[in-house]
Amino acid sequence: MKEKRPPFQLEACWKEKDMISGRVSDAMVVIMRTSGCCWAKNGGCTMCGYRQASVSTVTENDLNKQIDEVLSKYKGEPFVKIYTSGSFLDENEIPVPIRQRILSEFSGCERILFESRPEFVNKEVLSALPKTVTVALGLESSDPDVLSISIKKGFTPEDSRKAGLLIKSAGLTVRTYLMLKPPFLTESAAIEDTVRSAMFADEFSDEISVNPLNVQRGTYAERLWRAGELRPPWIWSLAEVLKRLSGNVNARLMSSPSGGGTPRGVHNCGKCDREMLDGIERFSFSQDVKDLNVRCDCIKEWQTYLESERILGTAADLDREFNDDLALGSAKDGGVRH
């Protein structure tokens, strides 16, 4: 098991590329160690393992030391993303003095992004934020049943919509996160759900980030995955969602899959995974669907998988079940094929 860092140390920090006003820019990503997401303390979401990055004993002094660490690694990137294990606007997680210090330290940035649950978004809080802020909202799905049963998010799609419109009315920008294939959804249903959710989110979003399910440790989703009751989505499904949405929403479409190309993340046959993931990354900047055009014979396996799910009416990992059946049959029949 991964050993936790002391509460005064960051969970992670790295550099990447993102967009500012339509151009590619350097960005610094920071994951702070906080006391944790308020919703996780009440059970949390089925697929979220970020609680493992939280420490109940973290103090304001610890958070200030983490900011000092951030500043020591900051090299003038114009885009800074500050993530916690929960909500940046939750005062119990990020006290107001800490929030004010972060915003002050990075006041020269062209863009600052952080995430929050909708219940912490209000006019008073928004009025104190600089116009360079982007608030990320984890909508995940616009289907109330998917949100409450598959994900157990603890709020409704309308809650996210109201928060998004409020953020926009304050002159700030919104990045909305959608979950592709949460527990209990078949591949086909997941594609349709994400497309519908993006259409719903487009009203209040400047950017829509499609996040394929990544099986994180210590989660309910991991229990299903280990039991063969869940398969992370195919990269073909992610590409299909982006193709169907391209030209049909005003928001910038993007995806940066965690665990892509591994059994726990979005994956295909293994041969084409890297090429497709590179295409997804290019599309996130170019918005050109030509970047999604990759050729591999496993697209036929994906199509068969979709049809098999429809016939069987199950969201279980059919690849694993099929391979297990083959192994069982081989053991019984002495390895003879029929």
Side-chain angles (χ1 to χ4, degrees), residues 136-137 139-140 174-178 201 204-205 207-210:
L137 298 173
L139 167 63
E140 317 300 3
V174 177
R175 176 176 290 186
T176 297
Y177 296 128
L178 300 179
F204 55 85
S205 304
E207 297 168 319
I208 295 174
S209 179
V210 180

Side-chain angles (χ1 to χ4, degrees), residues 237-286:
S237 296
L238 175 57
E240 176 70 11
V241 166
L242 296 175
K243 287 177 181 179
R244 286 176 55 176
L245 290 173
S246 180
N248 291 311
V249 293
N250 294 313
R252 171 198 169 202
L253 297 167
M254 56 184 296
S255 182
S256 183
S258 298
T262 71
R264 286 178 176 265
V266 60
H267 62 277
N268 284 349
C269 65
K271 296 178 181 178
C272 65
D273 290 24
R274 186 69 266 158
E275 184 180 2
M276 286 205 68
L277 290 169
D278 288 345
I280 297 290
E281 182 179 10
R282 288 194 300 273
F283 171 84
S284 296
F285 291 103
S286 71

Side-chain angles (χ1 to χ4, degrees), residues 8-9 12 16 19 21 41 55 61 82 106 110 127-128 156 168 171 174 186 204 212 229-230 241 295 305 329 331:
F8 56 82
Q9 288 186 354
E16 64 183 23
M19 301 283 284
S21 302
K41 296 171 184 176
V55 182
N61 186 49
I82 306 286
F106 295 106
E110 294 182 56
S127 66
T156 68
K168 296 282 286 180
V174 177
T186 64
F204 55 85
E229 296 298 321
L230 177 153
V241 166
R295 302 179 73 173
Y305 194 97

